[in-house]
Amino acid sequence: MDSQEAKRRIDELCAEINAHNHKYYVENAPDISDKEFDLLMKELERLEAEFPEFQDPLSPTQRVGSDLTKEFTHIVHERPMLSLSNSYSVSDVDDWFERVKKSLGNETFKVVGELKFDGTSIAITYRNGRLIRAVTRGDGTQGDDVTANVKTIRSIPLKLQPGDWPDEFEIRGEILMPWEVFEKLNAERAFNEEPLFANPRNAASGTLKMQDPKIVASRHLDARFYYLLADDLPCDNHFDNMEKARQWGFKVSKEMKLLHSLEEVDQFISYWDTERKRLPVATDGLVFKVNSLRQQLNLGFTAKSPRWAIAFKFNPERALTKLRFVSFETGRMGIVTPVANLEPVLLSGTIVKRASLHNDDIIKELDIHEGDMLYVEKGGEIIPKITGIELSQREEGSLPIKFVTNCPVCGTPLVRVVGEAAWSCPNHNGCRPQITGKIEHFAARRMMNIDGIGEETSEMLYDAGLVRNIADIYDLKEDDLLKLDRMGAKGARRILKGIEDSKNVPFERVVYALSIPNVGETTAKRLASSVQTMERMRAMSDAELTAIPDIGPVIAQCIYIYLHDEANIAIIERLAAAGVTMSLSEEKMQPKGNSLEGKTIVISGTFAHHSREEYKEMIEREGGKNSGSISKKTTFVLAGENMGPSKRIKCEELNIPLVSEDEFLQMVGK
Ligand code: IVH
């Protein structure tokens, strides 16, 4: 294919894929199969790899999140991001309506009723139909530049559909994590004993602030847009402007409604008070806005919020129920969690029987007594929360709930986790739920991926005395497994094959599989890539571990203590003897250098000796930063063959040197 033809096909594929993305993510109405979609993406990826000069930084292939942004730049909002004044009752909204009416001199006016989405707000700027910047609310005056992360959200258009959009405009909306995604993420985090997100809002804002856009891309965030700002808006009213935004490709809530009277406003409130529970995303209220932009201008702003809008907040769902008893449960890491076991009660459409009390401090703060009547709330939170006690119904003489002093399973005296509110069972190698939890974690798909060893099998293996720690897994024989309940030859062979295959699982996953306290998947990756071998990690001091990027003193201490525990040392040595991978693969092992430290490098063109990916890795390994676009901050451009003419001109304009492939390889000592 010649380069002209490639350019034409790349443009055609971009347009086609963008249109399918819009159908899928914005309209929820895909018109091709996933497989057909993947084929288009693959073709585009292949062409872009072959003709990188034609790759648009806003190409749909860039949605996976490419550059690693180390920290966010603060950007001052061109127009400050104000908040809305809140109301908690229908009469507050009615008062607002009357105030507006009076201020407009009894002129007729329409109101737009909208859902108040419960996520994290974002302001996105588009120039010439292309996304150029996405900034968080921050303190309202300035926010964080999270463009790289926002670009991974597939329901946000990178390039607009043709239309009468202003040359430059800002659109504001809410970044959301849909309930379904949130529940899945929290289930995964619970399994890994990582702290849970309290609600989709926290999960969305936490995700948006992550340093690695690749993780952001994997979290499936969504968005809704509700405010358009520009000097030259296409229409004179909010509703029509939002309809325009919808046509340009933005996900504007279909629930937005034009209301003509106070009655219609009140009806809108009573309808959504119950209906909102059926929505796929969290909402915490409604927003009412005067529709006409002229009337908005007349009404103006107070110091904090517009007079032309008001938010109505829903009451969180709350129920009163009786505490049956508090159970104490020991987890994989030994942490003992108190759980309130309740008389079943219906809350936000689900029956609630249990609610975590989290830790001793919370029990004390609430001052819960046996048999108390407790208020349970669900609000935006999916996990029911005990928010209070109905003291008028407390039984006379009832005793306060006391935290157990010994492990409810093995009886070992509990110890307080340093600097935390949690109590923990220190019998890590002899307490059943800690061991079975660790076996299950070790064998899980994202760790050693041993098919057939889940929660139930882990418990059976422990109870039969066959596996007392993770190293015992590698001594299992077919005859041992056949002793287990409902285990046939086929099942046993499947497990043994899984165990054999697990020996090739890469080192970073082995590190994660060990259940080192506070070492989750991301930390395990950082740790493994930095220490490179188990031997080196074991020889490191506390201070050396702390010096690893992203590993603070608390995690470093956890790693150090874990690696100096005799039982753990024996387990690691047995795992190594069984053939489990104890070092990084050769390609990941290449020594790190600093020849490119502090340099920001743009890669452009095609190369003879290595792929672009390999050059990216080399830059990172040598301490440099790879960037996608040429700017004043670029130190040099690694220029291959066929570098695009526009990039060349930009380099000349900004006086940025071009470095050839051979010169670059010399620079990094190859
Ligand atoms: S309008 C100047 N509309 O609520 C007014 N905000 O307390 C601009 N929000 O920061 C905001 N849904 O994060 C507007 N339909 C909606 C909204 C909405 C959620 C959030 C937004 C804003 C906060 C205001």
Side-chain angles (χ1 to χ4, degrees):
M1 189 182 278
D2 69 23
S3 85
Q4 231 180 348
E5 207 178 322
K7 164 104 180 70
R8 191 195 51 74
R9 182 66 185 145
I10 286 177
D11 290 347
E12 191 176 88
L13 283 165
C14 282
E16 202 175 330
I17 293 170
N18 280 335
H20 290 309
N21 264 337
H22 182 263
K23 281 242 149 228
Y24 187 94
Y25 291 102
V26 179
E27 295 178 21
N28 285 328
D31 54 0
I32 56 166
S33 70
D34 289 358
K35 198 164 156 209
E36 287 166 311
F37 182 85
D38 287 347
L39 284 175
L40 293 175
M41 277 295 265
K42 289 241 163 65
E43 187 185 347
L44 180 59
E45 273 163 18
R46 193 173 45 74
L47 281 174
E48 285 179 346
E50 208 177 321
F51 298 93
E53 66 276 24
F54 301 138
Q55 184 185 56
D56 188 322
L58 296 185
S59 156
T61 56
Q62 299 306 294
R63 296 269 198 196
V64 287
S66 48
D67 356 56
L68 200 68
T69 335
K70 267 281 163 253
E71 66 224 10
F72 299 111
T73 319
H74 296 311
I75 304 243
V76 176
H77 292 294
E78 260 179 45
R79 302 170 178 91
M81 285 182 85
L82 300 179
S83 57
L84 294 169
S85 63
N86 283 325
S87 66
Y88 295 88
S89 67
V90 180
S91 68
D92 284 349
V93 178
D94 293 357
D95 290 349
W96 168 79
F97 191 94
E98 293 302 335
R99 266 199 316 277
V100 167
K101 198 167 154 187
K102 201 167 149 206
S103 303
L104 293 176
N106 284 329
E107 189 179 55
T108 56
F109 65 100
K110 287 180 207 141
V111 166
V112 182
E114 296 174 14
L115 294 168
K116 186 167 189 297
F117 295 102
D118 197 12
T120 180
S121 40
I122 194 82
I124 312 185
T125 307
Y126 285 78
R127 191 180 295 145
N128 300 324
R130 297 161 66 86
L131 185 156
I132 59 161
R133 197 187 315 115
V135 184
T136 62
R137 179 172 189 278
D139 59 7
T141 307
Q142 55 174 346
D144 282 330
D145 181 348
V146 287
T147 313
N149 286 346
V150 164
K151 274 164 65 180
T152 69
I153 304 173
R154 283 157 200 266
S155 53
I156 297 182
L158 301 181
K159 288 189 228 165
L160 303 182
Q161 315 265 11
D164 49 353
W165 22 263
D167 289 345
E168 181 158 337
F169 67 90
E170 185 179 317
I171 191 159
R172 292 189 187 163
E174 206 80 354
I175 305 286
L176 304 159
M177 183 175 282
W179 283 113
E180 203 185 328
V181 179
F182 168 72
E183 278 159 31
K184 224 161 110 199
L185 175 66
N186 255 358
E188 263 174 41
R189 292 174 76 86
F191 177 76
N192 292 331
E193 295 206 2
E194 286 165 351
L196 301 187
F197 285 115
N199 49 46
R201 179 186 357 106
N202 289 4
S205 63
T207 301
L208 202 62
K209 293 291 188 68
M210 293 183 78
Q211 293 292 338
D212 187 348
K214 280 207 177 75
I215 306 182
V216 181
S218 74
R219 292 258 179 103
H220 303 291
L221 294 173
D222 200 351
R224 297 289 185 281
F225 291 91
Y226 44 66
Y227 193 21
L228 198 60
L229 299 100
D231 294 334
D232 43 357
L233 286 169
C235 308
D236 66 0
N237 68 83
H238 172 64
F239 190 89
D240 290 344
N241 278 324
M242 292 321 297
E243 283 302 333
K244 285 276 182 191
R246 191 199 306 285
Q247 286 163 20
W248 304 337
F250 292 102
K251 204 162 179 173
V252 174
S253 161
K254 289 196 193 73
E255 291 77 19
M256 176 179 77
K257 197 172 174 198
L258 210 47
L259 308 166
H260 302 83
S261 65
L262 182 55
E263 268 135 50
E264 285 188 16
V265 168
D266 291 352
Q267 275 165 11
F268 192 78
I269 295 179
S270 62
Y271 177 78
W272 283 111
D273 204 20
T274 50
E275 260 333 277
R276 68 181 172 113
K277 289 166 203 156
R278 292 183 214 266
L279 293 166
V281 292
T283 52
D284 61 344
L286 303 172
V287 181
F288 296 101
K289 298 172 184 168
V290 170
N291 190 34
S292 147
L293 301 191
R294 180 185 56 79
Q295 289 175 331
Q296 284 189 4
L297 208 64
N298 280 345
L299 291 159
F301 293 81
T302 69
K304 279 196 257 156
S305 53
R307 287 198 193 87
W308 45 263
I310 191 163
F312 167 80
K313 295 276 239 170
F314 297 128
N315 284 326
E317 289 258 325
R318 195 163 86 140
L320 189 63
T321 187
K322 191 176 172 70
L323 173 67
R324 290 172 56 225
F325 60 93
V326 174
S327 56
F328 293 87
E329 297 171 13
T330 310
R332 167 170 65 105
M333 295 307 206
I335 306 287
V336 176
T337 309
V339 177
N341 291 259
L342 309 161
E343 291 292 350
V345 62
L346 191 67
L347 196 59
S348 305
T350 51
I351 294 179
V352 177
K353 291 186 214 152
R354 284 158 54 88
S356 171
L357 288 167
H358 301 287
N359 58 46
D360 196 14
D361 288 0
I362 293 193
I363 295 184
K364 288 207 177 100
E365 209 176 289
L366 287 166
D367 184 31
I368 302 181
H369 285 218
E370 287 166 359
D372 268 352
M373 291 301 288
L374 303 178
Y375 285 106
V376 197
E377 260 183 33
K378 240 170 155 188
E381 268 93 283
I382 187 74
I383 306 151
K385 200 169 142 189
I386 307 289
T387 53
I389 296 164
E390 185 47 64
L391 284 176
S392 67
Q393 295 188 41
R394 175 169 285 171
E395 286 163 28
E396 224 176 279
S398 70
L399 295 174
I401 297 291
K402 276 219 179 94
F403 208 90
V404 285
T405 52
N406 291 62
C407 173
V409 183
C410 71
T412 306
L414 300 182
V415 292
R416 190 107 198 201
V417 179
V418 182
E420 285 181 34
W423 286 94
S424 162
C425 167
N427 183 15
H428 300 305
N429 301 309
C431 176
R432 183 179 184 271
Q434 297 193 51
I435 301 170
T436 58
K438 281 184 189 123
I439 299 169
E440 187 192 346
H441 174 85
F442 184 82
R445 195 171 48 83
R446 298 244 291 277
M447 297 77 173
M448 304 305 277
N449 193 20
I450 306 176
D451 207 8
I453 304 189
E455 183 179 355
E456 203 187 348
T457 318
S458 303
E459 287 171 358
M460 288 199 293
L461 287 168
Y462 176 85
D463 292 340
L466 291 169
V467 178
R468 290 287 154 143
N469 62 51
I470 51 177
D472 290 343
I473 294 176
Y474 292 88
D475 292 339
L476 285 171
K477 306 272 177 303
E478 191 170 334
D479 284 349
D480 295 330
L481 291 168
L482 289 173
K483 286 181 205 148
L484 300 180
D485 254 9
R486 286 177 280 130
M487 181 67 72
K490 212 168 143 198
R493 260 177 253 139
R494 187 173 70 146
I495 293 179
L496 289 175
K497 174 157 190 319
I499 295 173
E500 200 46 43
D501 292 348
S502 77
K503 294 176 185 172
N504 298 322
V505 159
F507 180 52
E508 51 274 27
R509 274 166 55 186
V510 177
V511 173
Y512 181 33
L514 292 175
S515 286
I516 304 173
N518 280 315
V519 176
E521 193 168 8
T522 315
T523 310
K525 267 193 199 150
R526 292 272 146 86
L527 185 60
S529 90
S530 186
V531 301
Q532 305 200 332
T533 68
M534 180 61 79
E535 210 180 331
R536 212 169 296 153
M537 179 156 74
R538 286 179 55 191
M540 281 173 123
S541 69
D542 221 339
E544 282 169 323
L545 287 163
T546 312
I548 298 173
D550 288 339
I551 298 201
V554 175
I555 303 181
Q557 207 193 12
C558 289
I559 302 167
Y560 186 85
I561 293 173
Y562 178 94
L563 292 173
H564 289 80
D565 175 282
E566 264 179 42
N568 293 335
I569 294 172
I571 289 173
I572 291 170
E573 281 174 359
R574 281 178 61 209
L575 289 175
V580 170
T581 312
M582 289 294 165
S583 58
L584 277 189
S585 62
E586 287 216 354
E587 69 197 79
K588 290 186 190 149
M589 189 87 94
Q590 312 244 356
K592 289 202 171 195
N594 57 4
S595 57
L596 302 177
E597 201 157 304
K599 297 191 166 58
T600 302
I601 300 155
V602 174
I603 306 176
S604 181
T606 50
F607 300 94
H609 303 296
H610 295 274
S611 70
R612 266 171 169 256
E613 269 317 302
E614 285 168 336
Y615 280 119
K616 270 189 196 171
E617 275 177 24
M618 268 183 226
I619 291 172
E620 268 169 32
R621 210 165 38 238
E622 290 295 325
K625 189 177 168 225
N626 173 232
S627 159
S629 56
I630 300 167
S631 72
K632 275 187 292 192
K633 289 188 193 148
T634 311
T635 319
F636 65 80
V637 173
L638 166 54
E641 293 290 314
N642 304 320
M643 180 177 160
S646 61
K647 282 197 173 155
R648 261 180 206 283
I649 294 169
K650 196 146 187 206
C651 286
E652 274 168 30
E653 274 171 11
L654 298 171
N655 222 355
I656 292 166
L658 302 184
V659 169
S660 74
E661 188 174 10
D662 288 338
E663 283 167 333
F664 178 83
L665 289 169
Q666 249 179 9
M667 227 181 232
V668 297
K670 294 230 170 183

